[in-house]
Amino acid sequence: MNLESLLSDRLARSFAAVAADDPVDPVVRRSRHADFQAEAALSLARRLGRPPREIAAEVVERAALADLCSAVTVSGPGFVNLTVSDRLLGDLVSAMAADPRLGVPVSPTPETVVVDYSAPNVAKEMHVGHLRSTIIGDAVARLLDWLGHRVVRANHLGDWGTPFGMLIEHLVDLGESAAVAEPSIGDLDSFYKGARAKFDADGTFRERARRRVVALQGGDEATLRLWRLLVAESESYFLAVYDRLDVLLTRADFVGESHYNPMLGPVTDELDRLGLLVDSGEAACAFPAGFPGRDGEPVPLIVRKRDGGYGYAATDLAALRHRIGELGATRLLYVVGLPQRQHFEMVYAVARQAGWLHPPARAEHVGFGLVLGPDGRKLASRSGDSVKLVELLDEAVDRAAALARQKNPDLDPATAAALGRAIGVGAVKYADLSADRTRDYVFDWDRMLALSGNTAPYLQYAHARIRSIFRRAGQPAPAGVPVSVVAPAERALVLELLAFPTVVDTVAETLELHRLAAHLHAVAVAFSGFFEHCPVLRAEPAVRDSRLVLCDLTARVLRHGLHLLGIAAPDRM
């Protein structure tokens, strides 16, 4: 049990006794006036009709906290201030140091969780617009996987639809040998734009493209072969980008729109039988309650068009039903930009009406804002186009490698390149994940690569500095040595370390990854204070061993916390 829960459970009994055995959440939080404070007396006062300070004083009198706290006081309008004893802090942090999982247990109730993220389009290069979904989804998947859940990574590729008529015809025009080389890394955009230009300018090509769409949807084998070639080449490009970005998506995780084609008819028929579809003349639509348009009329969710084609909603409904019914998922996470929130909420509403989405299964839109340039507008290249993700990552690595060489001119080229990748890619990821995902953030090279402040390089440097202590010591952290908490800077660091399990548990529920980033930054700042005020290698032997254990635990928390965010922690910088 973590420290906050230990205090909460003990105080809950006293609050319940004061409230005539009604259960009360003590609302224990970190405090600037003590280690923790309990705030429940303020809300309980209204229920009991008593002054909150009087309630807080009675709680303190009843509470059996002598084995946990060195001081328990009442302050302000009725806060219960709690100062944890040095002995308890030492016992808890020693147990955490001895635990390979850093005090974070595997979930006692593991679920099957589908994380839908990244989702680029076939025959198009990935750009900065794919950055947030890919980074956030990867971190969510890493975290839930570590907690023992069965995580299904679903990369919902855009691999079907009318544009594939012109793309396949463009392949035919190029010739197959050239086609194999053309849609490669760096060329997908020109390939797509070439097809688009011909489609817009050449009526004959346009007609061929329309016929090719019919052939594709009709299952023509020659057309399908060319389509598979285009998809395979695009997937290889996507995997190369994922490797540069150090995310865990693999070829096995590609589940394109085409995967759900056989399910679209049965899904639509079932919705029709359930009376959930309305023929608007132009399309068969669902109208879930609670989604009015600007004119006050219900917003339609287009399921099947008049020409027999299906809307995006049909694919999303089929995917949802498949994930619950066939994969056994009880938590569905859609890491998609905030502009798509209403679409997905409508899909969830229809799925609930159809009886597919019901407890314990639930679906969540893990929305996010935009990446902005210094001008406050959507980040774009100088020409106004979307910034290609490969180019952005290359620039991050180049900038970071240059900084590494500037800081240490003796670095050999291979080491400088490895550090450049770890620091550069880490900086890009952390700049994203340390921001509240529901808000836009400004992409700023200087800020994200700084060795000070809430940045990946600052955390990576803190980890590397700890590893240097052990290189100088010439030994690993001693095993089985209890941690002794004496100095104020030791207390500050231990309190931050002991919060790690609570933070992980909270983030797994809220998916607010910036809270994990903020916690890691707080750990690094606390270690900086510890490093400044608490000698390690020069301390007398018993203190030295205790502080080496504390250093090692700090490095492990930083390294694993960064790993959960998909960021490397180099041993040297």
Side-chain angles (χ1 to χ4, degrees):
M1 182 178 294
N2 61 58
L3 178 55
E4 198 169 312
S5 297
L6 198 61
L7 295 170
S8 292
D9 286 359
R10 193 71 63 85
L11 280 171
R13 303 171 200 168
S14 301
F15 273 105
V18 171
D21 293 329
D22 280 348
V24 177
D25 179 359
V27 193
V28 174
R29 308 183 194 280
R30 290 292 300 275
S31 170
R32 290 177 297 173
H33 307 291
D35 295 334
F36 294 90
Q37 69 180 25
E39 304 174 1
L42 279 69
S43 58
L44 193 58
R46 291 189 291 273
R47 196 199 318 173
L48 300 182
R50 296 173 56 188
R53 280 188 65 91
E54 181 182 301
I55 293 172
E58 184 177 346
V59 167
V60 170
E61 185 178 339
R62 289 174 176 271
L65 294 169
D67 59 329
L68 304 182
C69 297
S70 57
V72 182
T73 60
V74 176
S75 70
F79 298 120
V80 177
N81 289 340
L82 308 161
T83 301
V84 182
S85 71
D86 291 342
R87 181 197 56 77
L88 179 61
L89 289 178
D91 290 346
L92 291 175
V93 81
S94 297
M96 183 178 178
D99 182 359
R101 291 189 56 84
L102 303 169
V104 179
V106 172
S107 172
T109 54
E111 298 186 85
T112 293
V113 185
V114 173
V115 186
D116 184 325
Y117 65 109
S118 194
N121 290 314
V122 164
K124 286 187 178 182
E125 286 191 58
M126 293 180 70
H127 54 77
V128 72
H130 296 105
L131 183 67
R132 301 207 73 181
S133 177
T134 306
I135 290 174
I136 294 168
D138 183 64
V140 167
R142 286 170 183 260
L143 176 62
L144 297 178
D145 182 72
W146 186 54
L147 291 176
H149 299 288
R150 176 191 169 224
V151 175
V152 178
R153 294 171 172 83
N155 195 347
H156 193 86
L157 290 184
D159 69 349
W160 198 256
T162 53
F164 283 89
M166 70 176 188
L167 294 171
I168 293 170
E169 282 302 310
H170 190 43
L171 280 178
V172 171
D173 286 353
L174 286 171
E176 222 169 300
S177 59
V180 171
E182 182 77 11
S184 59
I185 199 163
D187 279 341
L188 283 175
D189 267 6
S190 60
F191 175 83
Y192 186 91
K193 288 175 180 177
R196 181 84 251 179
K198 279 201 286 188
F199 185 87
D200 292 340
D202 186 337
T204 302
F205 180 85
R206 198 156 50 241
E207 181 57 33
R208 284 165 48 203
R210 291 194 179 104
R211 288 199 300 268
R212 187 66 73 172
V213 170
V214 174
L216 178 64
Q217 294 174 341
D220 175 67
E221 188 50 45
T223 299
L224 286 171
R225 183 175 62 79
L226 292 169
W227 169 77
R228 291 188 197 104
L229 173 65
L230 187 57
V231 171
E233 291 295 320
S234 298
E235 288 180 349
S236 295
Y237 157 74
F238 298 145
L239 291 172
V241 177
Y242 297 145
D243 180 65
R244 291 191 191 193
L245 197 51
D246 194 19
V247 299
L248 301 180
L249 286 167
T250 68
R251 193 176 292 274
D253 300 319
F254 289 125
V255 187
E257 295 171 353
S258 61
H259 178 78
Y260 303 103
N261 284 349
M263 309 175 199
L264 300 182
V267 161
T268 306
D269 291 343
E270 184 172 347
L271 292 174
D272 200 19
R273 285 196 306 273
L274 292 169
L276 297 176
L277 292 186
V278 175
D279 189 346
S280 69
E282 294 297 322
C285 304
F287 290 89
F291 299 96
R294 292 181 181 177
D295 58 0
E297 294 297 313
V299 174
L301 190 67
I302 299 173
V303 178
R304 184 169 54 204
K305 303 171 188 175
R306 185 172 60 178
D307 63 5
Y310 294 95
Y312 289 117
T315 303
D316 290 330
L317 286 164
L320 184 148
R321 189 178 73 156
H322 172 76
R323 291 164 180 176
I324 294 173
E326 299 300 321
L327 301 181
T330 52
R331 192 178 187 188
L332 307 178
L333 305 176
Y334 292 80
V335 188
V336 185
L338 283 172
Q340 296 297 314
R341 177 177 293 281
Q342 178 169 286
H343 168 79
F344 281 104
E345 292 298 337
M346 292 176 71
V347 167
Y348 306 155
V350 172
R352 281 190 286 269
Q353 288 178 305
W356 305 332
L357 181 60
H358 54 79
R362 68 263 190 219
E364 304 167 48
H365 177 217
V366 186
F368 53 83
L370 297 173
V371 182
L372 304 179
D375 60 358
R377 299 180 180 179
K378 189 174 178 180
L379 185 64
S381 66
R382 290 180 180 177
S383 64
D385 296 329
S386 293
V387 176
K388 295 179 180 180
L389 193 47
V390 167
E391 293 176 357
L392 182 143
L393 295 176
D394 286 347
E395 183 172 355
V397 171
D398 290 345
R399 284 173 176 261
L403 289 173
R405 287 192 297 270
Q406 181 181 335
K407 188 170 175 24
N408 188 351
D410 296 330
L411 285 176
D412 63 84
T415 302
L419 276 177
R421 181 180 180 191
I423 297 169
V425 173
V428 169
K429 287 185 169 185
Y430 192 85
D432 191 303
L433 296 171
S434 61
D436 183 338
R437 61 173 167 78
T438 62
R439 298 182 179 181
D440 303 340
Y441 78 93
V442 175
F443 194 93
D444 184 325
W445 285 118
D446 292 338
R447 186 169 59 190
M448 69 175 58
L449 287 167
L451 281 169
S452 59
N454 188 15
T455 67
Y458 177 74
L459 301 187
Q460 291 169 320
Y461 181 72
H463 174 267
R465 184 162 64 170
I466 297 171
R467 299 319 307 163
S468 73
I469 292 173
F470 288 97
R471 287 193 295 274
R472 293 199 306 273
Q475 67 172 83
V481 172
V483 175
S484 177
V485 181
V486 178
E490 284 177 316
R491 282 186 63 86
L493 177 57
V494 167
L495 283 167
E496 293 299 342
L497 291 170
L498 290 175
F500 181 67
T502 300
V503 171
V504 168
D505 186 55
T506 300
V507 173
E509 185 59 35
T510 65
L511 307 179
E512 294 174 335
L513 295 159
H514 68 284
R515 299 191 183 280
L516 176 56
H519 173 67
L520 297 177
H521 179 248
V523 168
V525 169
F527 179 79
S528 181
F530 166 83
F531 186 78
E532 181 180 351
H533 295 103
C534 300
V536 178
L537 300 183
R538 291 184 287 106
E540 60 94 10
V543 175
R544 178 181 188 271
D545 286 350
S546 170
R547 288 178 176 171
L548 281 172
V549 172
L550 203 50
C551 287
D552 182 66
L553 177 59
T554 303
R556 289 167 57 204
V557 167
L558 289 174
R559 182 172 63 248
H560 195 71
L562 287 170
H563 170 75
L564 293 177
L565 297 177
I567 298 170
D571 283 349
R572 299 172 186 263
M573 281 183 66

